[in-house]
Amino acid sequence: MLSVKNVVDLYVENVIEDKHIVDEQSKKKKVVKGSRAIKGQIETRRTLYIDIVGSIGEKAAVEITCKDVVSLIKGIIDRGAQVQAGKVLSELTAAYEYCIGLDYFSDTFANSGLLAKSSLKQTRVKLTANIPSRKNAKP
């Protein structure tokens, strides 16, 4: 059984973070760069572990519903962290997409992160911050 923690770990270890491997021919250590800089790698792992693994990490990944994800995201919003909620939702969705692409789920599986994004968009829940424009900035 693939847990939500397993989904997060697969995504972070194989996509986000650098991988240290040994070249079989030369026996030298080699670093394969991840998709983020070191600071981003650390922040992504921390974010996913605090907000996802800490609350639903032990549950079976196939059993997580749209309602579960919406509830998780609303909890983050309720603590006043709209931007964080948006990041968590995006990373969770990407983690599921990665595992779907590797056939960890059946063909009929629907990504609950994508479903939650759609649901939250319909309810006009704000997941980003207003960035003040320079035109409106006070001197």
Side-chain angles (χ1 to χ4, degrees), residues 43-73:
E43 181 61 19
T44 300
R45 179 175 282 281
R46 186 190 68 78
T47 296
L48 292 174
Y49 264 74
I50 288 171
D51 289 317
I52 295 172
V53 175
S55 58
I56 60 172
E58 298 307 314
K59 292 184 178 181
V62 296
E63 294 175 3
I64 299 300
T65 64
C66 173
K67 187 176 180 177
D68 294 331
V69 177
V70 168
S71 176
L72 177 82
I73 298 304

Side-chain angles (χ1 to χ4, degrees), residues 110-122:
N111 184 336
S112 52
L114 282 176
L115 297 173
K117 269 187 184 182
S118 177
S119 177
L120 290 165
K121 190 173 185 177
Q122 284 179 331

Side-chain angles (χ1 to χ4, degrees), residues 9-21:
D9 285 341
L10 283 166
Y11 171 67
V12 170
E13 292 167 6
N14 295 306
V15 176
I16 303 297
E17 295 178 338
D18 295 345
K19 289 179 262 332
H20 301 274
I21 58 172

Side-chain angles (χ1 to χ4, degrees), residues 8 18 29 35-36 39 47 51 53-54 58 66-67 86 89-90 102-103 126:
V8 167
D18 295 345
K29 290 184 180 179
S35 66
R36 311 265 167 88
K39 184 178 177 184
T47 296
D51 289 317
V53 175
E58 298 307 314
C66 173
K67 187 176 180 177
L89 182 57
S90 291
L102 293 177
D103 287 333
K126 188 176 175 191

